[in-house]
Amino acid sequence: MTIKDIARLSGYSLGTVSRVLNHHPDVSEQARKKVMAVVEEHGFEPNANAKHLKMRTRTSIAVLVKGSHNMLFSDILERIQAKFEARGEEVYVAYLDEDANEVQYALSLARQRRPKGFLFLGGDMEFFRKDFKHLTVPCVLLTNFGGDLGYDNLSSFSTDDMTASEQVMDYLYDCGHRKIGVLGGNLSIDQISYRRIKGVCRSARKKGILFDTGRQYEPCRYSMADGYQAARRLLEREPSLTAVFALGDVIALGAMRAMADLGLRIPEDISVVGYDGIPSSEYSIPRLSTVRQNPEQLADKGVRTLLQAIHYEMPPVHERVPFELVSRESVRRLPADAER
Amino acid sequence: MTIKDIARLSGYSLGTVSRVLNHHPDVSEQARKKVMAVVEEHGFEPNANAKHLKMRTRTSIAVLVKGSHNMLFSDILERIQAKFEARGEEVYVAYLDEDANEVQYALSLARQRRPKGFLFLGGDMEFFRKDFKHLTVPCVLLTNFGGDLGYDNLSSFSTDDMTASEQVMDYLYDCGHRKIGVLGGNLSIDQISYRRIKGVCRSARKKGILFDTGRQYEPCRYSMADGYQAARRLLEREPSLTAVFALGDVIALGAMRAMADLGLRIPEDISVVGYDGIPSSEYSIPRLSTVRQNPEQLADKGVRTLLQAIHYEMPPVHERVPFELVSRESVRRLPADAER
DNA sequence: CTGAAAGCGCTTACAG
DNA sequence: CTGAAAGCGCTTACAG
């Protein structure tokens, strides 16, 4: 069943059929009705390959998800899919390893599939700096800040990670904690964790407490298993810590489990704060205090901006999306005499 | 940059270029080298739309994921993607609501995108029974059993849910529990939860204990939030329960949180068993006893079978994939005198 | 082993 | 408002 059959069956020409299918204005009401009738009768849907080939277009929107176990990304992804679908856009999704080069991948996809736009869920700024210039379609980066890269086809929406981390540390400080460990990510300047750690350092400096990255910081990937191991390493090295800030909720959840295995009660013996605000953080025992990023806004702005850039060539925007420090049960306020 | 440019640049014809690109045997070594040289020089990749249009093919493999918050599915999906990618297959992924009609969705996709095969992650047997006959390409259903549907283009790999649930109940019985609640899914005969509940009933009957679905069973969707609410309802109605079997780990995790809020200690006051074996179940406090489904085998067999069906038209297979009852910390063995 | 040509199923100026 | 025709970028018999 092709558009040709519909033409024959409806008594109109190919062109007219194509026009009604594409909601062209210059079609008589009569033609529209006749054609739609046979289209519906046969449940016809146009062949997308032919359509895109002819239109030299750009088949769909590609979403590249960095790090597949990331529950924050799953949450955002889901919303993105729904929104694009509601707009009638097809979405192609690919999951990449936490360490994969997403920009190279996009480049290859661009040649093969010719998507009309890319939406990156997470990314490594090093790859963007090096290879992004070859990407010519509109792109949106979510979760990382891309404003200092200066590409005119790249927008970004992100949480102000540095400020958020600083606030977490301030909060811990206000609760009386002075010996605070940090868990997760790595020190590479191009990673998202870098900005979070920078916020940590800024708070420490401001409050005049010591934060020795060599001893009080333990890098790890964003998973419960890695958080578990990293927490053990950190706590064995620095048993006097009274609080731990994990740069991701999944890391925090793994760390909490490690603490329990070490015989530490949370928050009586040690306090924990996470980052992201995934659903699990609300149901853990104890409930996890964390920085809640805003998946709904991230998804909404990302989709809206990408679509606008595709249709109207807008200038790029780089916006920070509000976060929220949510205080739950995993942090203990130290008695005043313990301070200092 | 099209194949035509490559032809011009290499001094060969369109046909020859196409042949080397597709690894056709009837090409001289010299032609291959020359063509590949300019292909690589320009980083050329053929336009997939044109290719598929011409081949009248079936552009990719479509994966339909039922219920987007399902962490077991995320796990399987990730493996599936990696496997298809390794085989050079493009994958189109769509997330559907837990209640959406995945077969109708596939039908529509079949017309528009003409995928060469479908892989369903979860499904409602009612939809399969009603609409699947219109689907003509090879399909694989994962997680549900499709053997009694009798379609010759549908294979399935699933856990023996009934037996697994029966074993959970037997296990709880052996630990001395007699008043056991069940949480999750619904009683519709076409849902996966139906078979799990059937296993529950079979065990109860066998052991001669009472299982009153009206009172001891509380339906809910597969999420922590719903598990939380359902657990409260169940426990308020039946405070004398000593154990709860949640039909999904996320439900169990939500339920555990509800119990903690009710002042119940796990497993001292109440025991909990989940289903699925997602990573979180290993890191919760306490660690969750559960039925571990086998995502690796499910993914592997699903991909392999679908590819074979596509390339060699194999007869359908319906296989059960082994599960494992893993006993961790959330179940308490009742003292002997408490039995009865 | 290679080239010339037809055609996959659409869309879109171009006439009328 | 409608039809006839060109052409999107490929693949694949068909000759040679």
Side-chain angles (χ1 to χ4, degrees):
Chain A
M1 177 111 296
T2 74
I3 201 178
K4 211 161 148 187
D5 300 307
I6 305 293
R8 185 167 39 74
L9 263 23
S10 67
Y12 282 90
S13 74
L14 277 189
T16 302
V17 172
S18 175
R19 274 172 221 122
V20 342
L21 254 20
N22 293 295
H23 307 102
H24 237 74
D26 309 349
V27 194
S28 69
E29 193 50 34
Q30 195 187 12
R32 185 184 312 287
K33 274 201 184 128
K34 195 91 184 66
V35 169
M36 284 318 285
V38 328
V39 163
E40 265 150 34
E41 182 189 349
H42 294 81
F44 169 76
E45 306 205 27
N47 177 317
N49 288 321
K51 177 168 185 159
H52 291 129
L53 171 56
K54 178 56 195 171
M55 298 176 81
R56 257 117 129 257
T57 190
R58 322 217 144 231
T59 141
S60 55
I61 286 170
V63 179
L64 267 31
V65 186
K66 190 85 186 269
S68 40
H69 274 304
N70 189 317
M71 293 192 232
L72 174 67
F73 287 172
S74 313
D75 189 348
I76 300 177
L77 176 58
E78 210 180 309
R79 297 169 195 269
I80 286 174
Q81 287 243 153
K83 284 172 200 295
F84 277 129
E85 187 142 337
R87 309 288 212 96
E89 298 286 351
E90 239 184 74
V91 183
Y92 176 81
V93 183
Y95 294 84
L96 309 183
D97 190 78
E98 203 171 311
D99 306 316
N101 185 331
E102 64 278 2
V103 182
Q104 283 292 356
Y105 192 94
L107 248 19
S108 159
L109 218 55
R111 287 185 293 252
Q112 287 187 249
R113 306 286 311 169
R114 332 191 97 249
K116 33 185 176 183
F118 284 95
L119 210 160
F120 294 91
L121 231 45
D124 185 323
M125 291 307 101
E126 187 195 340
F127 300 138
F128 274 78
R129 198 168 300 117
K130 225 172 32 188
D131 304 320
F132 188 85
K133 56 178 171 293
H134 301 114
L135 231 35
T136 52
V137 292
C139 298
V140 168
L141 171 61
L142 251 34
T143 265
N144 293 60
F145 181 74
D148 40 14
L149 263 32
Y151 294 115
D152 61 2
N153 58 331
L154 178 68
S155 292
S156 73
F157 297 93
S158 54
T159 297
D160 184 346
D161 289 301
M162 204 184 305
T163 304
S165 295
E166 191 178 353
Q167 286 188 17
V168 168
M169 289 296 281
D170 290 355
Y171 166 64
L172 252 13
Y173 182 93
D174 292 345
C175 288
H177 296 279
R178 296 296 177 269
K179 294 180 168 173
I180 303 169
V182 174
L183 228 42
N186 56 238
L187 258 18
S188 157
I189 189 169
D190 287 312
Q191 299 294 138
I192 198 159
S193 43
Y194 178 75
R195 299 183 84 96
R196 321 238 250 236
I197 294 163
K198 224 168 144 184
V200 166
C201 294
R202 195 156 71 183
S203 168
R205 206 172 318 116
K206 183 176 64 186
K207 301 291 191 184
I209 64 171
L210 177 76
F211 182 72
D212 173 358
T213 43
R215 300 191 58 84
Q216 298 178 51
Y217 170 63
E218 182 68 30
C220 74
R221 308 186 98 219
Y222 287 77
S223 79
M224 293 191 201
D226 288 76
Y228 182 89
Q229 297 299 343
R232 293 198 79 123
R233 285 196 300 274
L234 178 65
L235 260 15
E236 265 162 37
R237 191 170 64 220
E238 295 290 319
S240 63
L241 297 174
T242 64
V244 167
F245 173 27
L247 267 25
D249 284 343
V250 286
I251 298 175
L253 262 11
M256 282 167 68
R257 183 63 248 187
M259 292 161 182
D261 287 351
L262 257 20
L264 299 171
R265 291 161 307 159
I266 308 164
E268 292 80 358
D269 300 319
I270 191 157
S271 295
V272 181
V273 178
Y275 199 109
D276 285 343
I278 61 174
S280 298
S281 69
E282 212 179 321
Y283 291 94
S284 61
I285 302 177
R287 288 185 174 85
L288 181 62
S289 296
T290 188
V291 172
R292 178 154 49 207
Q293 301 202 61
N294 196 322
E296 173 54 26
Q297 250 190 69
L298 254 6
D300 186 58
K301 298 200 166 178
V303 167
R304 193 192 304 276
T305 303
L306 185 55
L307 254 20
Q308 283 184 353
I310 288 170
H311 296 311
Y312 312 113
E313 356 194 327
M314 315 288 282
V317 317
H318 298 276
E319 221 176 272
R320 316 241 62 149
V321 159
F323 62 89
E324 186 191 353
L325 180 57
V326 341
S327 158
R328 295 202 274 232
E329 306 167 349
S330 61
V331 174
R332 175 181 176 224
R333 177 170 291 278
L334 260 32
D337 57 351
E339 295 189 18
R340 191 85 317 253
Chain B
M1 177 108 300
T2 73
I3 202 178
K4 211 162 148 185
D5 301 305
I6 304 295
R8 185 167 38 75
L9 263 26
S10 66
Y12 282 90
S13 73
L14 277 188
T16 302
V17 172
S18 174
R19 275 173 221 124
V20 343
L21 253 21
N22 293 294
H23 307 102
H24 238 74
D26 307 350
V27 194
S28 69
E29 192 50 32
Q30 197 187 11
R32 183 183 314 286
K33 273 198 185 131
K34 195 90 185 65
V35 169
M36 284 317 286
V38 328
V39 163
E40 266 151 34
E41 184 189 348
H42 294 82
F44 169 76
E45 305 205 28
N47 178 316
N49 288 321
K51 178 168 183 159
H52 290 129
L53 171 56
K54 179 55 195 172
M55 296 176 81
R56 256 118 127 254
T57 192
R58 324 213 140 238
T59 142
S60 56
I61 287 170
V63 179
L64 267 31
V65 186
K66 190 85 184 271
S68 40
H69 273 305
N70 189 317
M71 293 192 231
L72 174 67
F73 287 171
S74 314
D75 189 348
I76 300 177
L77 176 58
E78 210 180 308
R79 295 167 197 270
I80 286 173
Q81 286 242 153
K83 284 171 200 296
F84 276 130
E85 186 141 337
R87 308 289 210 98
E89 299 286 352
E90 240 184 73
V91 183
Y92 176 81
V93 183
Y95 292 84
L96 309 182
D97 190 80
E98 204 172 310
D99 306 315
N101 186 331
E102 65 278 1
V103 181
Q104 283 291 357
Y105 192 94
L107 247 19
S108 159
L109 218 55
R111 288 185 292 253
Q112 286 189 249
R113 304 287 311 168
R114 332 190 97 250
K116 31 185 178 184
F118 284 95
L119 209 160
F120 294 90
L121 232 42
D124 186 322
M125 291 307 100
E126 187 195 341
F127 301 137
F128 274 77
R129 199 169 298 119
K130 224 172 32 189
D131 304 320
F132 188 85
K133 55 179 170 292
H134 301 114
L135 229 35
T136 52
V137 291
C139 297
V140 168
L141 171 61
L142 252 33
T143 264
N144 292 61
F145 180 74
D148 40 14
L149 262 32
Y151 294 115
D152 61 2
N153 59 331
L154 178 67
S155 292
S156 73
F157 297 93
S158 54
T159 297
D160 184 345
D161 289 301
M162 204 185 305
T163 303
S165 295
E166 191 178 354
Q167 286 187 17
V168 168
M169 290 296 282
D170 289 355
Y171 166 64
L172 251 15
Y173 182 93
D174 291 344
C175 289
H177 296 279
R178 296 295 178 270
K179 295 180 167 173
I180 304 169
V182 173
L183 229 42
N186 56 235
L187 259 18
S188 156
I189 190 170
D190 287 312
Q191 299 294 137
I192 199 160
S193 44
Y194 178 75
R195 299 182 82 96
R196 320 238 250 235
I197 295 163
K198 223 168 144 184
V200 166
C201 295
R202 195 157 71 182
S203 168
R205 207 172 318 117
K206 185 176 64 187
K207 302 289 191 184
I209 64 173
L210 177 76
F211 182 73
D212 173 358
T213 44
R215 301 192 58 84
Q216 298 178 54
Y217 171 64
E218 183 68 31
C220 74
R221 306 185 99 219
Y222 287 78
S223 78
M224 292 190 202
D226 289 75
Y228 182 89
Q229 296 300 345
R232 293 198 79 124
R233 287 196 298 274
L234 178 66
L235 260 15
E236 264 161 37
R237 191 170 63 221
E238 296 290 319
S240 64
L241 296 175
T242 63
V244 168
F245 173 28
L247 267 23
D249 285 344
V250 287
I251 298 174
L253 262 11
M256 282 167 69
R257 185 63 247 188
M259 292 161 183
D261 286 352
L262 256 21
L264 299 171
R265 290 162 307 159
I266 309 163
E268 292 79 358
D269 299 321
I270 191 158
S271 295
V272 181
V273 178
Y275 199 108
D276 284 343
I278 61 174
S280 297
S281 69
E282 213 178 321
Y283 291 93
S284 61
I285 302 177
R287 290 184 171 86
L288 181 62
S289 296
T290 188
V291 172
R292 177 153 51 208
Q293 300 203 60
N294 196 323
E296 172 54 25
Q297 250 189 70
L298 253 8
D300 186 58
K301 297 198 169 180
V303 168
R304 193 193 304 275
T305 303
L306 185 55
L307 254 19
Q308 283 183 352
I310 288 169
H311 296 312
Y312 312 114
E313 355 193 327
M314 314 289 281
V317 316
H318 297 277
E319 222 176 88
R320 314 240 66 145
V321 159
F323 63 89
E324 187 191 353
L325 179 56
V326 341
S327 159
R328 294 200 273 232
E329 306 167 351
S330 62
V331 173
R332 173 181 177 227
R333 177 171 292 278
L334 259 34
D337 56 352
E339 296 188 19
R340 190 94 316 257

